[in-house]
Amino acid sequence: MSVSQKSSGLYAPQEPIFPRRVSGPFRRGKWWIMAATLAIYYLTPWIRWDRGPNLPDQAVLIDMAGKRFYFFMIEIWPHEFYFIAGLLIMAGIGLFLFTSALGRVWCGYACPQTVWTDLFILVERWVEGDRNARVRLWKAKWDARKWRLRLTKWAVWLVIAVATGGAWVFYFADAPTLLVDLMTGRAAFVAYASVGVLTATTFVFGGFMREQVCIYMCPWPRIQAAMMDEETLTVTYREHRGEPRGKKHEATTGDCIDCMACVNVCPMGIDIRDGQQLACITCALCIDACDDVMARTGKPRGLIDYCTYTDLKREEAGSKPRPAWQHIFRLRTMVYTAIWGLVGVILIVALFMRAPIEVTVAPVREPLFVTMSDGTIRNTYELRLRNKNATARDFHISLTSDSALRIALEGREVLSVEVPADQTLAQRVYVFAKPDSPAATNAQSDLRIWVEDRTSQDRAYANTVFHGRIR
Amino acid sequence: MKRKSEETNDPGTTGHVWDGIEELNNPLPRWWLWTFYLTIIWGIGYTIMYPAWPLITGATPGVLGYSSRAEVRADINAVNAANAAIDQRLVSAPLASISNDPELQRYATAGGGALYRTYCSQCHGAGAAGGPGYPNLLDDDWLWGGTLADIQATLAHGVRWEEDPDTRYSQMPAFAEILSAEEIGQVAEHVLAISGQEFDAAAEAAGKTVYADNCSGCHGDGGKGDQGQGAPNLTDVIWLYGGDREALTTSIAKPHFGIMPAWSQKLTPLQIRQLAVYVHQLGGGQ
């Protein structure tokens, strides 16, 4: 046990990182993923979807005020939030699956922090040049040129940040209307506040915080250690092949020529040759960079590569690694896939089993029953009638046939009530039992209340009880 | 160029070891330290701007003059202002037309429900089912009438509330001072008979005459009662003070004198209206 005297500073300053441009298959894949994810994010609110005159025509809409979530042909009511919970479970299990198979593939390719940082670095490179130019600019005095480049870069970042914050609010209101409102100053304060906050976070996280978010703020890297095992494909430096590193082509040196290409392209500013580490998001750019160098030095590719720990040990021992599919299709990932698929099937079945009309019943329990002047026993029930259709429907309310019981609706002469399109309606109903009927004299009897839309023949029922005289 | 100094790559340990696990002494990033300082500055600013430091009788008010009471007051005023139009509509609408206007009916019912729970539930019960001496407001039997107008008048002027000249008023004589105990027993048998209960036929025959002489003026020849003077219907199964032989004998000999406050002394005409609509829609309104 020894107390280190080396690190007594209160803080560690952020080391500036200037990732170099790199090209290769992983980089190309990342460009495509970036284009796809950004397009999904920015364009989704603008997709239209006709749902008739009574409902919004935005394909994806989280309508907080109306308490509805619209997703293309699917409409979720608040009491159906389990669908969202199911999707979140699927998202969680999906992350388990991908992490156990491919390590931090989410972090490296699809995480918004990674995608937007990538976009911001792209802008930075366009404005200020590649790594060496940026390092020079960073060291240069604040003259007119540096100000011009910096301000240009920040301005472009700001435009992206505003568009990012702006796109977010379009998911919560009709996008074309909200855009006009935002521009003319008529939108709600919360809309401007959301745009402002998300603009600020995008600008700061993508432009300045970058790897700090992943290393210090994000809980995900900590969780992932538990999901990765020795069969996980992850970005690995083949130390047995590369070491001892050296610039000379001597017999004693390994394949690594210590050119620092892998370090220079790393957006996290780490050295993959130190082994797996918390800061590595497995974006695979070092693989592209190293493969390029290996090609030029006439060595086989893959000094840095996707590799499992078990394969690394096999290679060190001189035996052949197993094919990648054997690492991906193993019991653990198949169990994750099975759970993921099961939840998905349950959700889909539940989605198609949803009734177009629904009724819930709450018996009024204070008092349990009312005695009318002629001795009739009356029970009262609060019905909630849900019309999930895009048009108004007449709900006819009845009891399972029992001549001794009679039903009546509060405030209505008839036994039907119109429920507006996509609405819930509360309706109090009364059920009467003749003075000496079994229902009136038994403490409790079962009751089923039916609702029926006589036009479409949609039916629903709710079970409850009828309380008779307590003797 | 090296990104990480040797120092940050090997931060050393704090010296804490447990079960072979050592605690690394990684330094905080600088921005994090700044964030920490910023929260301190924010905290100081907050205590200056908002009520914060406790004193003997209160707290420092803060330069913004914020108070949660004032905020609630402003909220209540805003709600009242927003409701002004519908309040006006409710007060001026003809009573009979309220139920034809779903918005008005809903508004009156919601407001009436809150008022009922505040002012009425103590006697009539939270579910309005009443109790001995306190009428059930859910059934179809009304002492003073069950139309919206009747309910509104009862609410506004009360029952036997002597401070209000328009109050519902009637008083049943104490027949213990008028009739003999035997006669009271006989008339009780008659009331049991007309309300469909078991009775003594001989006594009932005599009681019929006693009833005609003493009771029919208010309760009617057939015992159907008279809502104009709050005389209960004696032929149904609903009894305010009990309907068995003993309870009836007591009520005839020494009648009860139930009172209800005139709520116009305490509530506004709007509130009375809301209450009337609420009570009317509980299931017994006529």
Side-chain angles (χ1 to χ4, degrees):
Chain A
M1 185 161 83
S2 68
V3 180
S4 166
Q5 299 301 311
K6 277 200 276 181
S7 169
S8 55
L10 256 184
Y11 58 83
Q14 184 183 359
E15 307 267 343
I17 300 169
F18 308 94
R20 205 195 69 195
R21 199 174 68 85
V22 64
S23 56
F26 288 106
R27 178 67 267 184
R28 272 198 301 282
K30 280 169 67 80
W31 288 136
W32 283 111
I33 291 171
M34 183 205 275
T37 49
L38 289 177
I40 289 170
Y41 177 71
Y42 288 119
L43 298 181
T44 301
W46 297 91
I47 305 171
R48 301 291 103 185
W49 192 269
D50 183 25
R51 296 188 182 88
N54 296 314
L55 295 174
D57 64 349
Q58 186 158 319
V60 178
L61 178 67
I62 300 161
D63 182 358
M64 294 287 207
K67 297 176 188 161
R68 297 286 182 277
F69 171 52
Y70 300 95
F71 186 82
F72 295 93
M73 71 293 280
I74 301 168
E75 179 187 347
I76 303 282
W77 286 48
H79 69 286
E80 294 165 334
F81 196 77
Y82 53 82
F83 282 111
I84 310 292
L87 284 177
L88 290 174
I89 290 170
M90 286 180 75
I93 307 260
L95 272 173
F96 294 1
L97 170 62
F98 278 95
T99 306
S100 65
L102 298 168
R104 291 175 62 180
V105 68
W106 163 259
C107 299
Y109 297 84
C111 174
Q113 175 65 21
T114 297
V115 171
W116 260 269
T117 301
D118 224 12
L119 181 64
F120 273 45
I121 291 174
L122 183 69
V123 170
E124 192 168 80
R125 198 176 294 134
W126 273 343
V127 175
E128 299 181 346
D130 206 359
R131 174 178 159 78
N132 293 343
R134 297 213 300 280
V135 173
R136 275 198 306 278
L137 187 69
W138 181 64
K139 287 179 179 160
K141 285 208 172 63
W142 281 90
D143 57 5
R145 178 175 169 275
K146 183 164 180 174
W147 273 112
R148 180 173 58 79
L149 292 175
R150 281 281 195 264
L151 287 175
T152 309
K153 178 177 78 173
W154 293 339
V156 179
W157 282 357
L158 200 60
V159 169
I160 296 170
V162 171
T164 305
W168 179 263
V169 295
F170 292 145
Y171 283 87
F172 296 87
D174 183 56
T177 316
L178 182 59
L179 180 65
V180 174
D181 286 353
L182 281 170
M183 292 299 177
T184 53
R186 281 184 288 129
F189 169 75
V190 65
Y192 290 109
S194 303
V195 173
V197 168
L198 286 165
T199 300
T201 51
T202 310
F203 188 72
V204 173
F205 287 5
F208 303 96
M209 297 289 283
R210 293 187 180 172
E211 80 288 349
Q212 301 282 310
V213 174
C214 307
I215 299 172
Y216 293 105
M217 294 168 137
C218 182
W220 187 231
R222 273 82 181 164
I223 301 167
Q224 279 179 322
M227 290 170 208
M228 284 157 65
D229 56 28
E230 68 281 4
E231 295 291 344
T232 301
L233 279 165
T234 188
V235 176
T236 308
Y237 168 62
R238 291 199 161 95
E239 198 173 334
H240 60 92
R241 191 183 135 189
E243 301 296 325
R245 62 187 81 158
K247 294 198 192 305
K248 289 172 198 160
H249 289 274
E250 292 168 4
T252 53
T253 53
D255 284 357
C256 178
I257 58 167
D258 207 14
C259 64
M260 303 297 280
C262 55
V263 178
N264 290 340
V265 300
C266 181
M268 302 299 290
I270 57 167
D271 189 340
I272 191 65
R273 295 170 299 175
D274 294 341
Q276 243 189 53
Q277 48 206 294
L278 182 129
C280 177
I281 58 171
T282 71
C283 66
L285 292 183
C286 51
I287 302 180
D288 278 346
C290 191
D291 283 353
D292 185 41
V293 174
M294 289 299 108
R296 278 192 260 161
T297 57
K299 298 273 167 55
R301 68 161 296 277
L303 178 57
I304 302 172
D305 201 1
Y306 270 104
C307 183
T308 68
Y309 182 77
T310 50
D311 276 354
L312 195 67
K313 291 293 154 201
R314 277 192 198 94
E315 288 177 17
E316 279 174 16
S319 50
K320 270 177 71 90
R322 294 162 67 206
W325 66 268
Q326 284 189 8
H327 298 298
I328 292 173
F329 295 100
R330 60 198 149 93
L331 183 63
R332 181 171 177 176
T333 55
M334 283 192 277
V335 167
Y336 284 147
T337 310
I339 299 172
W340 189 86
L342 184 68
V343 176
V345 168
I346 290 171
L347 286 186
I348 290 169
V349 169
L351 197 63
F352 282 103
M353 281 175 59
R354 291 193 304 171
I357 67 175
E358 281 181 8
V359 57
T360 58
V361 57
V364 171
R365 297 186 191 278
E366 201 205 310
L368 286 174
F369 65 90
V370 177
T371 307
M372 308 306 281
S373 54
D374 64 352
T376 299
I377 300 296
R378 189 187 80 197
N379 277 208
T380 308
Y381 303 89
E382 300 285 356
L383 297 191
R384 294 189 78 78
L385 307 167
R386 293 199 193 96
N387 177 12
K388 295 185 175 179
N389 298 282
T391 51
R393 295 276 186 104
D394 268 325
F395 281 44
H396 180 82
I397 297 167
S398 59
L399 298 170
T400 301
S401 92
D402 183 340
S403 58
L405 295 176
R406 183 170 67 81
I407 193 165
L409 274 57
E410 166 59 31
R412 282 168 209 283
E413 304 293 329
V414 292
L415 288 179
S416 73
V417 52
E418 191 192 71
V419 185
D422 198 53
Q423 295 270 310
T424 300
L425 189 101
Q427 173 68 47
R428 193 179 326 135
V429 304
Y430 304 112
V431 175
F432 299 89
K434 286 174 184 164
D436 295 315
S437 64
T441 48
N442 291 339
Q444 223 179 58
S445 29
D446 291 329
L447 188 70
R448 175 170 288 185
I449 296 176
W450 283 94
V451 298
E452 182 180 8
D453 170 16
R454 288 187 162 171
T455 319
S456 69
Q457 306 291 317
D458 287 331
R459 280 152 70 87
Y461 67 84
N463 290 330
T464 182
V465 290
F466 187 92
H467 292 280
R469 289 195 295 267
I470 301 162
R471 277 284 149 83
Chain B
M1 177 180 169
K2 282 205 110 173
R3 291 281 144 22
K4 299 248 174 190
S5 64
E6 285 305 318
E7 186 179 323
T8 47
N9 265 348
D10 178 17
T13 71
T14 57
H16 303 156
V17 182
W18 192 86
D19 209 13
I21 300 170
E22 295 187 336
E23 187 185 356
L24 292 180
N25 190 17
N26 275 309
L28 216 55
R30 176 153 56 188
W31 59 265
W32 200 324
L33 196 70
W34 286 349
T35 309
F36 179 56
Y37 291 148
L38 206 64
T39 58
I40 294 172
I41 294 166
W42 178 275
I44 293 168
Y46 190 93
T47 62
I48 296 168
M49 305 307 268
Y50 284 93
W53 299 102
L55 305 174
I56 308 261
T57 56
T60 50
V63 295
L64 288 182
Y66 172 83
S67 127
S68 52
R69 278 170 192 274
E71 195 173 61
V72 169
R73 211 173 295 127
D75 284 351
I76 291 172
N77 288 341
V79 169
N80 286 341
N83 285 342
I86 196 167
D87 284 346
Q88 185 53 43
R89 243 169 79 205
L90 182 56
V91 170
S92 55
L95 270 182
S97 73
I98 292 175
S99 64
N100 297 329
D101 182 339
E103 191 194 4
L104 214 51
Q105 172 81 11
R106 211 161 40 236
Y107 178 73
T109 307
L115 290 164
Y116 178 88
R117 289 185 284 280
T118 308
Y119 297 108
C120 314
S121 60
Q122 290 85 344
C123 293
H124 290 284
Y134 300 103
N136 185 336
L137 305 177
L138 304 170
D139 61 31
D140 57 348
D141 185 42
W142 296 89
L143 289 170
W144 299 92
T147 67
L148 202 47
D150 286 336
I151 295 169
Q152 181 176 264
T154 306
L155 279 162
H157 304 296
V159 176
R160 303 184 186 97
W161 190 256
E162 290 174 0
E163 291 168 36
D164 189 319
D166 297 323
T167 194
R168 306 278 200 189
Y169 198 92
S170 67
Q171 187 169 9
M172 177 167 154
F175 282 99
E177 296 166 17
I178 300 168
L179 302 175
S180 68
E182 188 192 0
E183 285 170 318
I184 290 174
Q186 287 164 346
V187 81
E189 292 302 323
H190 177 66
V191 174
L192 286 171
I194 60 174
S195 59
Q197 303 181 68
E198 286 176 21
F199 60 95
D200 180 87
E204 193 269 341
K208 191 180 277 182
T209 319
V210 182
Y211 179 88
D213 292 345
N214 295 282
C215 315
S216 60
C218 295
H219 290 285
D221 289 335
K224 294 282 187 186
D226 178 10
Q227 292 183 344
Q229 48 187 322
N233 183 342
L234 304 176
T235 63
D236 63 22
V237 304
I238 294 169
W239 301 94
L240 188 54
Y241 298 100
D244 59 16
R245 186 173 279 108
E246 189 187 354
L248 285 174
T249 310
T250 310
S251 288
I252 296 165
K254 197 169 182 307
H256 302 270
F257 188 72
I259 58 173
M260 172 172 129
W263 287 100
S264 55
Q265 293 174 339
K266 194 171 178 88
L267 304 178
T268 64
L270 171 75
Q271 290 174 313
I272 300 262
R273 243 180 197 218
Q274 289 180 316
L275 266 176
V277 171
Y278 176 77
V279 170
H280 185 262
Q281 60 83 56
L282 283 173
Q286 290 163 346

